[in-house]
């Protein structure tokens, strides 16, 4: 199974919270991660710990930050999410609706399926919100 397919929605949200809460590049304090996730510090710590076990997050002086592989995983996730959004856009969903629908499938789809959707859509460059879609090998 691919890494994204093994991650939970909570773990992906935790990765994104760490990026957002890491304001100066020195890492995100646990409190800030918990606040973004709207959970208690102990449960935020559970999610962070699971990501540390996967070597996606490392702790430095009490703060959490993404490893190189964590950063690559976020880019891969953005690719899956935004390609899925562009698929739902074709069905006439609003940008907000495409985002909700994409969250239901973006972790489940394999890289291969995402590549096929991307190719079928002519390698879209931006998602329905105008965010860049990280390129695939076909582009
Ligand atoms: Zn979205
Ligand atoms: Zn592509």
């Amino acid at each position: 199974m691919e890494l994204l397919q093994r991650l939970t929605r909570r773990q992906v949200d935790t990765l994104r919270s760490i990026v957002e809460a890491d304001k100066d590049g020195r890492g995100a304090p646990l409190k800030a991660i918990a606040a973004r996730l709207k959970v208690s510090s102990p449960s935020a710590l559970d999610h962070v710990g699971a990501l540390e076990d996967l070597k996606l997050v490392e702790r430095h002086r009490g703060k959490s930050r993404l490893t190189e592989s964590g950063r690559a995983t976020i880019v891969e996730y953005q690719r899956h999410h935004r390609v899925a959004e562009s698929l739902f856009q074709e069905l006439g969903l609003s940008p907000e609706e495409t985002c909700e629908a994409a969250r239901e499938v973006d972790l489940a789809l394999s890289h291969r399926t995402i590549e096929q959707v991307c190719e079928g859509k002519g390698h879209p460059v931006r998602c329905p919100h105008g965010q860049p879609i990280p390129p695939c090998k076909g582009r």
Side-chain angles (χ1 to χ4, degrees), residues 89-103:
Q89 184 182 32
E90 202 167 285
L91 305 177
L93 274 61
S94 71
E96 197 178 312
E97 288 168 337
T98 66
C99 190
E100 281 171 29
R103 281 171 68 91

Side-chain angles (χ1 to χ4, degrees), residues 21 28-41 44-45 62:
L30 186 63
K31 264 189 181 173
I33 301 168
R36 279 171 194 278
L37 290 172
K38 299 188 174 73
V39 299
S40 66
S41 289
L45 189 60

